Structures are given as C-alpha cells and as structure tokens.
Amino acid sequence: MTVDQRIIVPLDVPSTTAAIALVEALPQVSFWKVGLELFISAGPGLLDELRARQKRIFLDLKLHDIPNTMAGACAAAGRCGVSLLTVHAAAGKEALVAAQAAAIAGAESAGVAPPVVVAVTLLTSVDSKALALELKIPLSPTDYALQMALLANDSGLGGVVCSPHEASQLRRFLPADFVLVCPGVRPTWADRQDQRRTLTPAQAIQAGATCLVVGRPITSAPDPAAAFRRICEECTAP
C-alpha cells in the first residue's frame, strides 16, 4: 500500500449527510473509519454508499460480548464488505475465535472479501496510572498490549489496534503480515487533545504501524486536503 492508502480518516460526524459531505470534500482519501456514533445514527446503508464510491471501510465498533453475540455481529459486519472490523481482545479467546470465523462466513455468504478482524489491545486514552489504579491490571500499557496482541494472534485474528508506542515491540513478537492499526497519531503541528500515548505519523510508520488513524489534524484543519497531503509527505520524507 502507498502511504495515502495507509492513512484512515475517521468520519466522526453525526449523520449520513455530514459523512458524505466530508468524503466528497476529501476525494483523495480512500480509507474511512465509521465508528459507533455514526453507525448507530446512519446504519449499514452508509457502508453501501461508501463502497459505491470505491472507499475502503474501517468499521470501528469495538465489539465486546459473549461469543455467540460476537459471532452474530461479526457475521453481519462481514456481509457489509468492510475492510477492517474491531473487537476487544479482552473478550477472550473463545469470543475472538468465534468472531473471526463468523466474519469470514458472513463475507462468503455475501460474495465479498472478508474483513481483517483486529482486536483492540488498550484504548489510547488509558495510561499507566489508569491501568493500575482504575482497572487494577499490574502491567505496563506496553506489556498489557503485547499480551492482548499475542492472544489475538493465537486466536487467528489478522491484527490489532494499538498505540504507536507499542508498535515496535509488537513487531518483534508477531508475524510480519500481522496488521497494526495505530490511532492516537498526531503530527507535531497538531493538538494532542485527548490522546495520551501518541507519536507523529512518520514515527508510527517507522515503528511498524500498518495503518494510521488520523482524524482531527485533518478534518479540523483550515484546509483538510492540504493537511492530508502534508501528512503523506512527512511520512515519505527521508
């Protein structure tokens, strides 16, 4: 993939109308993320509209439930022709195995390519203090992310969502084709906002990220197209 194909831009808007307006304003973006708010508001019809425009879709629902429910949801998502689908690694191996099998079966029944199911290791808004004091997990964020990534790989999933800070370590322990999707990526000229564990886009790719999720630095910029182009150029600069 070229750099521009590796950058996923979130459709963090409340309606189909707003989503399509953003897609049309940034025709150079080929990969879009649909999260919970928009999916609940717009429904699967939005996914059909994006596919009709030849866009790849990252369906970021972060599914976390019992195995049967995970399987049913992933089968439905698989039928929608999305490229990436998120589940929570913390759901456990049985649920992850069921999710992976169901996503493939759903896609096959609809005659579309199956999604790469990626497991969320640890939300980028959770730092070491929150992990220890609030979640009572006696591991560093990096060690916890590694354990969740190993679980995802052992369960047959195709990748994980992780902080760019974890990417280099995960690359050492996981297959070369294992997908690492890194949100919380911020150029030096953008506000970090609520992302605590972040790197620049160029640093994240150098660390081993497969795809980068870059939202507000692009969508909130005075010139979104110029911001997208600047990020792509920074990622390919020597």
Side-chain angles (χ1 to χ4, degrees), residues 11-24 34 37-50 53:
L11 285 168
D12 289 337
V13 293
S15 68
T16 297
T17 300
I20 296 304
L22 184 54
V23 170
E24 292 180 346
V34 176
E37 178 184 3
L38 181 58
F39 188 74
I40 291 172
S41 171
L46 173 64
L47 307 183
D48 294 333
E49 294 200 36
L50 292 173
R53 288 170 168 78

Side-chain angles (χ1 to χ4, degrees), residues 32-96:
W32 293 92
K33 180 173 83 74
V34 176
L36 275 173
E37 178 184 3
L38 181 58
F39 188 74
I40 291 172
S41 171
L46 173 64
L47 307 183
D48 294 333
E49 294 200 36
L50 292 173
R51 290 180 61 208
R53 288 170 168 78
Q54 306 300 311
K55 303 301 183 182
R56 298 171 69 205
I57 302 165
F58 173 23
L59 186 57
D60 186 23
L61 301 184
K62 297 183 178 71
L63 300 170
H64 188 171
D65 216 308
I66 62 172
N68 284 345
T69 302
M70 292 267 284
C74 288
R79 292 191 289 270
C80 292
V82 301
S83 296
L84 293 173
L85 171 66
T86 52
V87 298
H88 268 288
K93 185 172 184 178
E94 183 181 355
L96 298 181

Side-chain angles (χ1 to χ4, degrees), residues 115-150:
V116 176
V117 180
V118 292
V120 175
T121 55
L122 182 66
L123 297 174
T124 54
S125 59
V126 178
D127 58 14
S128 57
K129 181 178 178 181
L131 191 65
L133 299 181
E134 298 173 15
L135 302 182
K136 308 304 180 185
I137 295 174
L139 295 173
S140 69
T142 299
D143 288 342
Y144 182 77
L146 175 60
Q147 293 307 311
M148 293 296 99
L150 292 173

